[in-house]
Every structure is written in C-alpha cells, then in structure tokens.
Amino acid sequence: MSEILSSLRSLMASHSPPLDALVVPSEDYHQSEYVSARDKRREFVSGFTGSAGLALITKTEARLWTDGRYFLQAMQQLSNEWTLMRMGEDPLVEVWMSENLPEEANIGVDSWCVSVDTANRWGKSFAKKSQKLIPTTTDLVDQVWKNRPASEMCPVIVHPLEFAGRSVSEKLEDLRAKLKQESARGLVIAALDEVAWLYNIRGTDVAYCPVVHAFAIVTTDSAFLYVDKKKVSDEASAYFKGLSVEVREYTDVISDVSLLASDRLFSSFVSKTAQPEATKDMEIDSEQTDRLWVDPASCCYALYSKLDADKVLLQPSPLSLSKALKNPVELEGLKKAHVRDGAAVVQYLVWLDKQMQELYGASGYFLEAEANKKKPTETSKLTEVTVSDKLESLRAAKEHFRGLSFPTISSVGSNAAIIHYSPEPEACAEMDPDKIYLCDSGAQYLDGTTDITRTVHFGKPSAHEKDCYTAVLKGHVALGNARFPKGTNGYTLDILARAPLWKYGLDYRHGTGHGVGSYLFVHEGPHQVSFRPSARNVPLQATMTVTDEPGYYEDGNFGIRLENVLVVNDAETEFNFGEKGYLQFEHITWAPYQVKLIDLDQLTREEINWLNTYHLKCKDILAPFMNQTEMEWLKKATEPVCVSV
C-alpha cells in the first residue's frame, strides 16, 4: 500500500497543474454502486473492499470516507497509513478538503468517475478558498495499477418480452412524451440499469448485476446505444435495427454528446421522409426550449462538461421512476421468483440444521440447549463460505436462475455485527453452534431479483439476544403492516421499524429499505425507506418494491437482521380522509422466522396473529417444492404460537 500511495503522490506532483490532493471515488463511469473488477480503483488504493466509500490522498495523508454499514469492516481492512472518516459523524469530504487543504489548492479527480451533483457540490465548497476541482488528464490510479483486470467482453443479451412485460417501442414512446412535457429535446442516459431496462437487454459485465457497460441517448426522433460493438452479436444487431436504435462504439459517447449539444447528432434511421415507428404519431413542438435532460446523480461530469450548462435540465432521470413502477408481468415474475428463492432458503436451513447437529452437537433450530461441543474433522467442518456455497447450489437448481444478486453475507457471531460482511475462504470463521448466524443473500432469476435475510441460532440464545431479535422482529412487522396515505415517503415510515429498538436505546446505522429490480440491480431507486434526508425525495407508489430490513449490531458479539421484499399496493380503507387514497404492503418473501429467538411475551396479540398467518402462508406456498423431510421441518418451523395471557 505504501508503494501505491508513493507512486500516486509522484504522479500528483508531476501532473499539470500539480495536485495538492487526489480523490478516488468508488464509482465507475456510470456512477454504479457495484462495479466490475477493473473499476475497483478505490479498493485498489486503500485495501477497503466495501461497495461504498471515497478515498482522498493528499501530499501527507490518506483518508477514507464510508457509511455506517462499513465502519467495522473499514477498521479491519485499512492499514495504519489510512484514517477512517465516518459518514454522519465526521465532516463531509468536501468540508474537510475546504477546511484542511491550502488556499488555491488543486484537487484532482477522474471526471468520468464523479457525478454532476457531486462535482457541483464540491465546486461550491471549494470556492470559499479559491480551491479548484481539476479533471485529471488520465486516471492516475490506472497508471500505477500494473495488473489491472482486462475489460469484460460479455455479449449483449436480449431480455425476452415474456419477462420484460413492456416493449421498447412503448417505453420510448413514454419517454419521448416526458421529454416533450419538460420541453427537452434529448436525454443522456448513463445508469446501467436504466439502459438495460429501456432497451430490454441484459449482460454480465458486472458481477451480480445483469447489465452491460453502455450509455444511451434518446432524442425526440432518435435512439442510440453506446457499447463495445464486439459484444453485439448478429442477432442482437438485428434486434436493435428492428427498433431503429443505432448502435455506436462505447467510446463515441463523448463526441456524440458534443454533437448533441450543437444539435448535430443524427441517426441513420431518421430522414425527412421516415421517422421511427415510435414517433410517427407524436407531434414535436418546433418552438420547444433547446434543453437536454441530464440526471445529475448518474451522469458523470466528463459528459456534462461537453454541454452548455444554461441549456441543461438537471433533474432525476424519468426512467428511474418508470423502472421502479413494476408492470403486471414484472410483478408476477418477482412473486414467482421469490417463491422459488424461499424454497431454496428453507432447504438450506433444513440442511444446515442437520449438519450443525451432526457435526457440532448443536441442539438445533428448534431446541434450546448448549451444544455438546462435538468437533468435526478438518475436511468436514463448516465455514461461513462453505455453507453459503451450499445455499448457492440450492438456488442454482431453481428455474430461471442466473446467479447471485450480491455476495452472500454469511456471518457467524461477531462477524454478523459487520453489516456488509463478506467472508473470504482463507480467513472466514467456522460455524459455531453457540453463536448467532446471520445470512443475507439473494439471487438473479430471469423473472426477478431477490433479497432475503434470516438470523438463526442453533444452540441456546441468551436473553439479551432474544430481546434484540424480538425488537427487530417487532419493527419488521410494524413496517410491513403499515397503511399510509398516498404521497407518503420512506423517510416518514422509517421510524416504524426503529421504534421498538429505540425503546431500549438501540438502533442501526443503515437504511431500512430499498427498491429491488426486475432481473436488474438488487438495490434500486429512486425511493427508499431510510433516516437519510434523500428518502424524502420520492413518495412510495403502488407497484413499487421495497425491502423491510431493520437490524441490530453489537460490535464484537453478534448481529441481527430480518429482511423481506414487499410490494406496495392500493389499500381498501373504511374512510378516505382528504380523498388521498391509501397504500399498504404485501410480503412476497417466504421463509420462517426462528421462534426460539422470539420472546413471545413481548409480542402483542396483533403481532402474534400476523406471525401465525405469515407462517401458515409460508408453509402452504412452499409445500410444492419440499420433499418429505423438508416438509416435516417446515411444518414444525411454522407451527402456530400461542398468545400470551
């Protein structure tokens, strides 16, 4: 790590102009949360492997900012050359730079890897001391990364209409209507999932995310896709031709954005005598404002800098909300995918329960007793990685499986307190019957993306562990059972999941819920359920998906999280105050909660009834996938519990 920092500082000194600091973001050219191996620049320079964070290298210091999900992980992974900056507790990166770097400091960044929003925010902060944000001539990290992985060369895959539910022509027509509504003549699309959703394509360029590295531009009469043409088969080429979507090289996007700015970007599919089918019947206002739409959160500053800022509409992409509002085919696919996925999770718990009893002498999933401390052989022992591999194999046997949706968080004991823990084969923990086990996992299926967390104990949980699990469950149930007026956002609802923990002075450092894609990103916006102010931006709407995942993490001891995916539906209410209409949630995740971790005396009658009803549905829905042994286990795991007197 010292050699990397030293090399970067040499490049900073020789850069024109010389740099006082270098920012290394986590994001790629598309501002993605999850990036390909060759785009993990921040991980390369810092050693920190979490999905969120930012590295800052000055002449004498190296600092890393990350959020509460990763505090413990960062403390373990950063060398003593690095200082951890805790988001929400320490100064924001732009505040720190403004206050601690000298006047007129030059702060370098690869402008392809920073969003318009971020660059503009930093620019305002730097102005106080005449500091400047300097786009580097090349990415300095790439110059010192000698063994940087090669570019992915994975084919573009056409996503069948039977899973997509809406044609590209329909989506383009809707998008162009929104352009007209906002008096814009074009939209630059940078987010990988938006490109994939709009054109009904998928790919394998990024692990766990079925997307292809591509940009898109859509105007009132043309549509373009920017992708490495070596990834486009003859079949895919014919598909795009049939849609009047012009395919150009990935690297052409910057020159074409410049052409777009001067209204000189033309498609070979468009002429004075022929327009794309999607726009034949659409009236284009010849006097519309000459504006171009750019999403400041997903578009990189490199592309934005080619536009006339006075003629740019900076607001969230219209595709983000359109993608979040699932069509009937997507909803049906998501529900089916979650049933198959739930079956795999239950089959995994059945297998793991048996293994823990046989190999470790655990009392098991249902009984509360100390393990008799059997010791498995070196070849038969279970680790966080080997058990998660078993779960993956069970999912892989299910219809339409295409891979995991994120690295499985398989965590024992104190590792479960690391919110986004990622076990490594060489350094992971062995399973322990006397410690909590948290498993947060998900899969990609052609008909939907899944995300589920269950926390279990195969021995005798402590009273404190039960109290914490019960509080998490109560918050999970409270949010899932909520009814609320239309127009309510996730910031307002977040308190429902935290209140039972707050009663004991407990809390958690992550959001409570995120959207889930339809065979796309497992983390999908624009909505969320969270304490973060950004959760106020978009209200929840019918047909959205959102997770319900409160937790509690006790550093050095254990972690607890429970997670289901919910669908937002219209609610039937006795009254309709303000004529707003009301919404409610529908659970589509199916796997039992471990009853022995629940202090039933702390549950209300309503919570008991909900638990019993959910477990009954769980048993009935998953029954077709179970063999006799698995069904017996599932029946026992979903037996009704009694209401405390």
Side-chain angles (χ1 to χ4, degrees), residues 12-292:
M12 289 162 58
S14 61
H15 190 273
S16 180
L19 302 176
D20 296 278
L22 177 68
V23 178
V24 184
S26 298
E27 292 77 17
D28 59 11
Y29 291 4
H30 306 269
Q31 309 310 302
S32 308
E33 177 185 13
Y34 293 109
V35 301
S36 65
R38 69 182 275 101
D39 290 322
K40 294 182 177 180
R41 297 178 178 90
R42 190 262 305 140
E43 177 180 326
F44 170 75
V45 301
S46 68
F48 168 63
T49 62
S51 66
L54 178 145
L56 176 68
I57 301 162
T58 71
K59 294 176 180 179
T60 58
E61 293 185 80
R63 292 174 179 262
L64 181 123
W65 276 258
T66 191
D67 63 51
R69 295 172 298 170
Y70 295 111
F71 290 170
L72 278 178
Q73 182 177 335
M75 288 172 62
Q76 294 175 1
Q77 292 182 332
L78 293 176
S79 71
N80 56 14
E81 297 167 295
W82 287 84
T83 300
L84 173 62
M85 303 295 286
R86 295 170 171 82
M87 291 180 177
E89 299 178 12
D90 293 320
L92 296 171
V93 62
E94 62 266 30
V95 173
W96 190 93
M97 288 190 285
S98 175
E99 292 179 351
N100 291 276
L101 295 177
E103 288 194 17
E104 300 184 351
N106 292 320
I107 301 157
V109 70
D110 183 344
S111 59
W112 285 91
C113 297
V114 64
S115 71
V116 179
D117 252 351
T118 299
N120 286 343
R121 189 177 71 249
W122 289 354
K124 290 177 183 177
S125 184
F126 297 163
K128 300 170 188 175
K129 291 170 63 175
S130 299
Q131 298 164 330
K132 294 180 182 177
L133 186 64
I134 305 294
T136 54
T137 49
T138 60
D139 195 299
L140 302 190
V141 176
D142 294 351
Q143 293 186 49
V144 304
W145 195 352
K146 303 304 181 185
N147 298 315
R148 187 182 176 212
S151 297
E152 299 75 13
M153 201 50 59
C154 309
V156 174
I157 302 166
V158 176
H159 192 47
L161 188 59
E162 65 178 292
F163 299 117
R166 293 189 70 204
S167 69
V168 176
S169 295
E170 288 177 298
K171 294 176 182 180
L172 284 172
E173 185 177 0
D174 285 353
L175 175 55
R176 287 179 173 128
K178 291 183 174 71
L179 287 175
K180 184 179 180 183
Q181 183 180 335
E182 295 293 338
S183 298
R185 61 180 174 86
L187 171 70
V188 178
I189 307 165
L192 297 180
D193 60 337
E194 291 183 12
V195 175
W197 179 85
L198 176 64
Y199 290 145
N200 286 346
I201 57 174
R202 300 294 188 267
T204 55
D205 283 356
V206 181
Y208 312 105
C209 305
V211 293
V212 60
H213 282 130
F215 293 96
I217 293 175
V218 175
T219 70
T220 50
D221 63 2
S222 305
F224 302 86
L225 174 69
Y226 298 88
V227 64
D228 189 326
K229 286 188 175 181
K230 293 191 287 292
K231 299 177 181 180
V232 183
S233 66
D234 291 343
E235 179 186 359
S237 182
Y239 167 78
F240 291 120
K241 186 176 181 180
L243 296 169
S244 297
V245 173
E246 182 151 328
V247 179
R248 297 190 175 180
E249 284 292 347
Y250 182 81
T251 51
D252 287 345
V253 68
I254 193 159
S255 58
D256 276 12
V257 166
S258 295
L259 290 173
L260 179 67
S262 57
D263 204 12
R264 293 183 295 119
L265 179 62
F266 304 110
S267 168
S268 61
F269 292 110
V270 179
S271 69
K272 292 181 180 179
T273 58
Q275 281 189 316
E277 197 67 32
T279 60
K280 277 183 180 178
D281 300 324
M282 187 175 175
E283 294 182 8
I284 305 299
D285 185 355
S286 60
E287 296 182 0
Q288 64 182 311
T289 304
D290 185 27
R291 296 200 297 180
L292 295 171

Side-chain angles (χ1 to χ4, degrees), residues 398-458:
K398 299 293 183 277
E399 185 181 19
H400 300 320
F401 177 81
R402 289 295 181 272
L404 301 181
S405 55
F406 58 95
T408 298
I409 301 171
S410 174
S411 50
V412 175
S414 60
N415 288 340
I418 303 172
I419 297 170
H420 270 206
Y421 173 73
S422 182
E424 298 294 337
E426 306 80 18
C428 66
E430 185 175 358
M431 297 297 289
D432 189 327
D434 294 323
K435 293 180 180 178
I436 273 180
Y437 173 64
L438 184 157
C439 186
D440 184 347
S441 64
Q444 296 286 3
Y445 301 92
L446 280 174
D447 51 354
T449 302
T450 68
D451 188 359
I452 175 176
T453 307
R454 289 295 183 265
T455 303
V456 296
H457 199 303
F458 294 103

Side-chain angles (χ1 to χ4, degrees), residues 256-477:
D256 276 12
V257 166
S258 295
L259 290 173
L260 179 67
S262 57
D263 204 12
R264 293 183 295 119
L265 179 62
F266 304 110
S267 168
S268 61
F269 292 110
V270 179
S271 69
K272 292 181 180 179
T273 58
Q275 281 189 316
E277 197 67 32
T279 60
K280 277 183 180 178
D281 300 324
M282 187 175 175
E283 294 182 8
I284 305 299
D285 185 355
S286 60
E287 296 182 0
Q288 64 182 311
T289 304
D290 185 27
R291 296 200 297 180
L292 295 171
W293 194 334
V294 166
D295 186 332
S298 62
C299 182
C300 64
Y301 196 77
L303 293 180
Y304 172 73
S305 65
K306 300 300 179 182
L307 303 173
D308 181 347
D310 292 332
K311 295 182 178 180
V312 173
L313 173 63
L314 278 178
Q315 68 180 31
S317 166
L319 298 179
S320 182
L321 181 58
S322 296
K323 175 169 53 63
L325 297 172
K326 303 295 185 278
N327 64 56
V329 172
E330 289 174 321
L331 285 175
E332 184 64 21
L334 278 161
K335 291 176 183 180
K336 289 180 177 178
H338 278 82
V339 170
R340 297 193 303 275
D341 199 68
V345 170
V346 169
Q347 289 164 344
Y348 171 62
L349 290 173
V350 174
W351 171 84
L352 187 56
D353 185 17
K354 184 172 185 289
Q355 295 296 307
M356 292 300 292
Q357 291 183 60
E358 292 181 352
L359 296 176
Y360 292 90
S363 58
Y365 186 91
F366 301 106
L367 301 177
E368 289 190 55
E370 300 283 352
N372 64 18
K373 298 297 183 183
K374 285 174 66 176
K375 189 71 176 173
T377 64
E378 188 64 27
T379 56
S380 64
K381 74 175 184 179
L382 302 177
T383 69
E384 293 166 327
V385 168
T386 59
V387 296
S388 67
D389 288 345
K390 175 65 177 181
L391 175 55
E392 182 175 357
S393 72
L394 291 166
R395 282 190 163 111
K398 299 293 183 277
E399 185 181 19
H400 300 320
F401 177 81
R402 289 295 181 272
L404 301 181
S405 55
F406 58 95
T408 298
I409 301 171
S410 174
S411 50
V412 175
S414 60
N415 288 340
I418 303 172
I419 297 170
H420 270 206
Y421 173 73
S422 182
E424 298 294 337
E426 306 80 18
C428 66
E430 185 175 358
M431 297 297 289
D432 189 327
D434 294 323
K435 293 180 180 178
I436 273 180
Y437 173 64
L438 184 157
C439 186
D440 184 347
S441 64
Q444 296 286 3
Y445 301 92
L446 280 174
D447 51 354
T449 302
T450 68
D451 188 359
I452 175 176
T453 307
R454 289 295 183 265
T455 303
V456 296
H457 199 303
F458 294 103
K460 185 177 182 179
S462 69
H464 177 55
E465 289 170 332
K466 282 187 174 186
D467 285 343
C468 295
Y469 183 97
T470 304
V472 170
L473 176 64
K474 286 171 75 71
H476 175 78
V477 173

